[in-house]
């Protein structure tokens, strides 16, 4: 049998996760089918995904009616609906979880983005989400804001597996790794089994090109045009170098020797935003062992249809990636400003999606009460 692109990618050490979830996917069996047909071994969710699922789906009607009858408020209804979906998805991926010894078969659920600047509230909600989903293959998503870093440490220390999200900068990524390792050290002190704690660090890709290319286009020079759509790959490839260096350190090596797991880089925002670019660009050009690529279905379908996996496309790229960032700096593209803007925008966009989700659920509850 001819090897498929998704199988080829998996064999390079890249875990394919789907960046989408809905009750319709769960009930129709299409989510389960992707495990066999396209080598999908995990799922990520976010407020935008749930807002879309609730707005378009009709499969939530019965539960909305039950929640309305019980007098449930909007936020508690969202909590119940989303944790139910994630729990069911965890059950779908349980065999993958077992087969991979807990590395894959993971399903992520995010703390409310409205808490992104509140450390204690993030900790409290992360613990509540973990307890409510009540599945060992769940991952609790915590944004990599300055306030999120100590929350990551405490949640990891409590024995909870975490997906750190909204990472754009290399310096912030280093801080995320430190937060994870500190959490493991505290977990060990508290007697929590290190082997049971897993984590991924979601490094966002395409949005970097969107922001940098906007600034390059404003310069309107031949040199600026030459550098378009190269920043995202350079940034992600340098992030992989940070991963290798950090987890090759004595500190990390000692923890791994005691049973801890390395926190894998996860490439997020891998759907191409510029139609002029190859639609599998942020997949086939970010191939390296111990990574995860979470893809919207459109990107997954493109990979399965015509993706060309040529092997490791990150190894040996650090020098050129650093040079690319230097070239951008020479043109006045301020890296720190770019990643700072993207982090702020990332949180803000998820808050907008969260409010859309609240509006959708509020309408559903009101309609259910009106027809009861």
């Amino acid at each position: 049998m001819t090897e498929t692109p998704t199988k080829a990618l998996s064999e390079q050490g890249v875990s394919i996760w789907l960046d989408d979830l809905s009750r319709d996917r769960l009930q129709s069996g299409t989510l389960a089918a992707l495990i066999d047909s396209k080598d999908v071994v995990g799922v990520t969710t976010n407020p935008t995904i749930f807002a879309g699922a609730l707005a378009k789906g009709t499969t939530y009607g019965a539960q909305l009616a039950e929640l309305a009858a019980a007098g449930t408020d909007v936020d508690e209804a969202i909590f119940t609906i989303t944790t139910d979906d994630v729990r069911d998805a965890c059950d779908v991926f349980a065999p993958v979880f077992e087969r991979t010894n807990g590395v894959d078969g993971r399903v992520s659920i995010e703390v409310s983005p409205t808490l992104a600047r509140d450390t204690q509230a993030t900790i409290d909600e992360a613990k509540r989400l973990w307890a409510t989903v009540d599945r060992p293959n769940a991952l609790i998503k915590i944004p990599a804001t300055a306030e999120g870093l100590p929350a990551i440490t405490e949640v990891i220390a409590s024995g909870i597996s975490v997906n750190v999200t909204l990472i754009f900068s290399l310096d912030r990524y280093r801080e995320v790794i430190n937060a994870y390792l500190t959490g493991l050290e505290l977990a060990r002190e508290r007697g929590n089994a290190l082997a049971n704690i897993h984590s991924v660090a979601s490094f966002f890709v395409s949005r970097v090109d969107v922001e940098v290319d906007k600034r390059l286009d404003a310069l309107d020079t031949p040199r600026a045009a030459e550098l378009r759509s190269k920043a995202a790959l350079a940034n992600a490839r340098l992030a992989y170098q940070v991963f290798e260096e950090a987890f090759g350190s004595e500190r990390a090596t000692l923890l791994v020797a005691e049973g801890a797991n390395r926190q894998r880089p996860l490439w997020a925002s891998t759907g191409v935003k510029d139609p002029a670019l190859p639609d599998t660009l942020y997949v086939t050009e970010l191939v390296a062992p111990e990574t995860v690529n979470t893809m919207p279905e459109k990107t997954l379908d493109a990979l399965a249809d015509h993706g060309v996996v040529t092997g490791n496309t990150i190894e040996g790229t650090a020098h050129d990636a650093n040079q690319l960032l230097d070239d951008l700096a020479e043109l006045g593209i301020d890296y720190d400003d770019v990643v700072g803007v993207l982090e702020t925008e990332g949180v803000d966009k998820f808050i907008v999606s969260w409010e859309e989700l609240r509006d959708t659920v509020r309408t559903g509850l009101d309609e259910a009460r009106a027809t009861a």
Side-chain angles (χ1 to χ4, degrees):
M1 181 179 290
T2 303
E3 185 176 62
T4 64
T6 56
K7 180 65 71 178
L9 185 64
S10 301
E11 290 180 351
Q12 289 294 323
V14 180
S15 294
I16 298 172
W17 292 5
L18 177 70
D19 192 30
D20 194 40
L21 182 64
S22 67
R23 192 155 299 178
D24 182 66
R25 281 191 184 278
L26 289 161
Q27 294 183 355
S28 66
T30 57
L31 179 62
L34 289 175
I35 297 172
D36 295 323
S37 66
K38 292 177 181 171
D39 301 284
V40 171
V41 292
V43 164
T44 50
T45 68
N46 59 44
T48 304
I49 285 169
F50 279 125
L54 268 292
K56 293 180 289 187
T58 58
T59 51
Y60 295 94
Q63 186 171 28
L64 282 167
E66 291 175 5
L67 293 167
T72 309
D73 67 25
V74 172
D75 291 330
E76 195 61 29
I78 291 171
F79 188 91
T80 300
I81 290 167
T82 57
T83 53
D84 282 357
D85 278 2
V86 168
R87 185 184 308 107
D88 289 345
C90 282
D91 291 343
V92 170
F93 281 92
V96 177
F97 177 74
E98 295 296 332
R99 172 168 55 81
T100 62
N101 295 315
V103 173
D104 285 312
R106 296 279 173 175
V107 183
S108 296
I109 184 169
E110 190 159 346
V111 298
S112 167
T114 61
L115 308 178
R117 306 296 180 185
D118 187 328
T119 300
Q120 189 58 51
T122 295
I123 293 169
D124 293 342
E125 175 141 331
K127 291 181 176 180
R128 186 177 176 224
L129 285 167
W130 179 258
T132 303
V133 173
D134 194 25
R135 294 294 186 271
N137 53 328
L139 286 173
I140 308 303
K141 289 179 78 173
I142 298 175
T145 57
E147 298 84 356
L149 293 170
I152 292 160
T153 293
E154 173 55 31
V155 173
I156 289 290
S158 301
I160 296 171
S161 295
V162 172
N163 176 346
V164 183
T165 189
L166 286 176
I167 307 171
F168 295 96
S169 85
L170 298 171
D171 284 344
R172 181 53 55 83
Y173 181 34
R174 293 184 182 95
E175 293 176 329
V176 165
I177 294 173
N178 178 64
Y180 173 61
L181 295 176
T182 303
L184 290 176
E185 289 160 351
L186 290 171
R188 179 181 56 194
E189 291 177 13
R190 298 180 191 181
N192 290 319
L194 299 186
N196 295 336
I197 305 170
H198 286 254
S199 183
V200 293
S202 293
F203 205 89
F204 278 52
V205 185
S206 67
R207 295 188 195 182
V208 174
D209 272 344
V210 171
E211 181 64 27
V212 171
D213 288 357
K214 179 175 67 176
R215 300 180 186 209
L216 288 171
D217 291 346
L219 296 175
D220 195 22
T221 66
R223 180 57 175 153
E226 288 176 4
L227 298 181
R228 286 190 91 259
S229 306
K230 296 179 179 179
L233 290 178
N235 197 40
R237 287 167 170 173
L238 290 173
Y240 190 78
Q241 182 185 45
V242 170
F243 160 71
E244 289 188 304
E245 290 173 351
F247 285 94
S249 69
E250 181 180 3
R251 180 189 184 193
T253 301
L254 287 172
L255 284 164
V256 170
E258 294 180 41
N261 299 288
R262 286 153 65 101
Q263 182 190 53
R264 293 183 295 167
L266 180 151
W267 311 127
S269 184
T270 55
V272 171
K273 306 292 194 295
D274 183 346
L277 298 174
D279 54 3
T280 62
L281 179 70
Y282 302 125
V283 178
T284 58
E285 294 303 314
L286 290 175
V287 178
E290 288 188 87
T291 59
V292 179
N293 196 306
T294 188
M295 311 172 201
E297 189 169 29
K298 183 179 179 181
T299 303
L300 176 63
D301 288 345
L303 171 67
D305 179 66
H306 54 262
V308 179
V309 179
T310 59
N312 190 321
T313 50
I314 293 182
E315 185 178 11
T317 62
H319 177 271
D320 288 346
N322 273 311
Q323 184 61 55
L324 188 280
L325 295 189
D326 288 344
D327 292 344
L328 289 170
E330 288 181 8
L331 292 183
I333 307 296
D334 186 329
Y335 176 85
D336 290 336
D337 185 65
V338 166
V339 295
V341 165
L342 288 171
E343 180 183 300
T344 300
E345 282 186 354
V347 173
D348 290 346
K349 286 178 180 178
F350 277 165
I351 290 174
V352 169
S353 295
W354 192 258
E355 291 306 318
E356 290 173 356
L357 175 58
R358 295 183 83 244
D359 288 344
T360 300
V361 171
R362 182 183 295 108
T363 299
L365 292 171
D366 288 345
E367 290 176 351
R369 291 186 182 110
T371 58

